[in-house]
Amino acid sequence: MAVQMVNRLRSVSGMAMRLCVIGAPDPCYPSYGLVEEPRSLGVPGFHLAFRDFARAVSRFKVLLSDWRPHVVHSHLWTADLVVAAALKPGASHHVVHIHDGTLQRGHVLRRMIYRMLIRKSRPRFIACSEALKKDFMHNLNVPETAVTVIRNGIAAEWLTDSTPPAPSADRLVVGYAARFQAAKAHHVLIEAMATVAKKIPRARLRLAGGGAQLDSYRALACSLGIADRVEFLGRVLDMPPFYDALDVYACPSLFEGLPVSILEAMARARPVVATRIAGIP
């Protein structure tokens, strides 16, 4: 999402766009079409420990001093906190992009710290769905006037005129693209495939993505006796062919805003089965 915004805004607005990531550099950046490689704060992990948080803030302050941005646009709650803590009052406008409900439903102390720090940068908020906006306002005491809904989008190049193949009586390919973590609920889909496989012997499940819980989901497929029916593809860089090879795209996620993967599957003319949460309906 951030890469797409940087590339598009630079091309249509003439803005000087720069991208910073909290974690380590991604070896795949050259394939993203970025004019300038993102700067990395080199702080590992998504859920920052206090020491890592302090390091990230300190390093981001150096970048702010160098770049002197008019607007800082942060994605996901850890980045929101780093930006809020690093910004000097009035130095830059802060825009917070709300992608999912993980923070709102998370630890009470985490929400308290977020509310306290986020007041410092006085941001404007963008929510990717109406449901997420209401959830954010309710759980974090943000006024409605501070939150604007701008739904997620994908590049027009994703759109296709192809027609998805009709599943045959003895074949079904189901796919899901997400990082392997509890909120994405891969276990629900793997357990469902064990049931489907009894009725459709040639059914297959293709899972794109990486993450800390990958090995545990491999073990689950083995324990259910469907290891030969579940393909763990790892990180997939060329996604259109992934969707094109499916009969159905499934999204069993428990916490979302408006999943980009669903938009991509729809753009590739694939039917979608998903949980009824947040912006998905």
Side-chain angles (χ1 to χ4, degrees):
M1 183 67 69
V3 166
Q4 178 175 303
M5 290 177 64
V6 166
N7 286 340
R8 296 283 165 158
L9 283 173
R10 179 184 282 118
S11 65
V12 302
S13 70
M15 294 182 183
M17 302 294 299
R18 290 190 168 113
L19 186 60
C20 172
V21 295
I22 293 176
D26 186 335
C28 298
Y29 281 139
S31 68
Y32 295 163
L34 291 165
V35 173
E36 181 180 340
E37 186 166 319
R39 296 286 291 272
S40 168
L41 301 183
V43 179
F46 180 74
H47 299 285
L48 295 176
F50 179 77
R51 181 179 296 179
D52 290 333
F53 175 71
R55 288 167 55 207
V57 171
S58 176
R59 292 173 183 178
F60 191 59
K61 283 182 176 180
V62 174
L63 281 185
L64 288 174
S65 177
D66 180 29
W67 289 349
R68 299 183 182 277
H70 294 93
V71 177
V72 181
H73 191 149
S74 60
H75 296 258
L76 305 180
W77 66 268
T78 46
D80 301 342
L81 292 180
V82 169
V83 171
L87 279 179
K88 295 179 180 179
S92 306
H93 296 290
H94 186 193
V95 177
V96 169
H97 209 128
I98 312 163
H99 289 281
D100 60 38
T102 304
L103 173 66
Q104 294 91 293
R105 295 177 177 84
H107 197 278
V108 174
L109 179 59
R110 185 188 300 165
R111 293 204 303 270
M112 290 175 59
I113 294 173
Y114 187 92
R115 284 198 297 264
M116 178 181 68
L117 269 180
I118 211 70
R119 289 195 194 102
K120 178 176 176 287
S121 63
R122 301 175 63 187
R124 295 284 303 186
F125 299 91
I126 294 174
C128 64
S129 70
E130 289 285 354
L132 202 59
K133 173 181 177 178
K134 293 176 182 176
D135 196 20
F136 194 81
M137 288 165 48
H138 174 73
N139 287 288
L140 290 164
N141 298 326
V142 174
E144 182 175 8
T145 53
V147 188
T148 301
V149 174
I150 302 177
R151 291 176 179 83
N152 286 342
I154 56 174
E157 290 79 12
W158 274 89
L159 297 172
T160 177
D161 294 327
S162 67
T163 302
S168 63
D170 64 345
R171 174 187 175 274
L172 178 69
V173 181
V174 180
Y176 182 34
R179 62 187 178 274
F180 285 87
Q181 64 178 54
K184 298 299 181 181
H186 288 80
H187 65 282
V188 174
L189 194 52
I190 294 172
E191 290 167 0
M193 179 53 62
T195 301
V196 170
K198 296 175 183 177
K199 298 183 178 182
I200 307 177
R202 292 181 59 200
R204 294 291 182 272
L205 177 60
R206 308 191 80 206
L207 301 174
Q213 299 186 9
L214 176 58
D215 289 339
S216 65
Y217 288 118
R218 289 184 190 273
L220 175 61
C222 289
S223 68
L224 294 172
I226 57 170
D228 60 333
R229 303 173 191 271
V230 182
E231 298 178 56
F232 293 90
L233 304 176
R235 186 174 183 180
V236 178
L237 296 182
D238 189 12
M239 288 299 293
F242 168 80
Y243 294 109
D244 293 347
L246 305 178
D247 295 308
V248 176
Y249 183 77
C251 179
S253 184
L254 304 177
F255 301 109
E256 289 290 351
L258 180 58
V260 171
S261 65
I262 285 180
L263 306 182
E264 292 174 346
M266 292 172 68
R268 304 304 295 185
R270 269 31 186 182
V272 175
V273 178
T275 39
R276 187 179 178 85
I277 56 171
I280 292 179

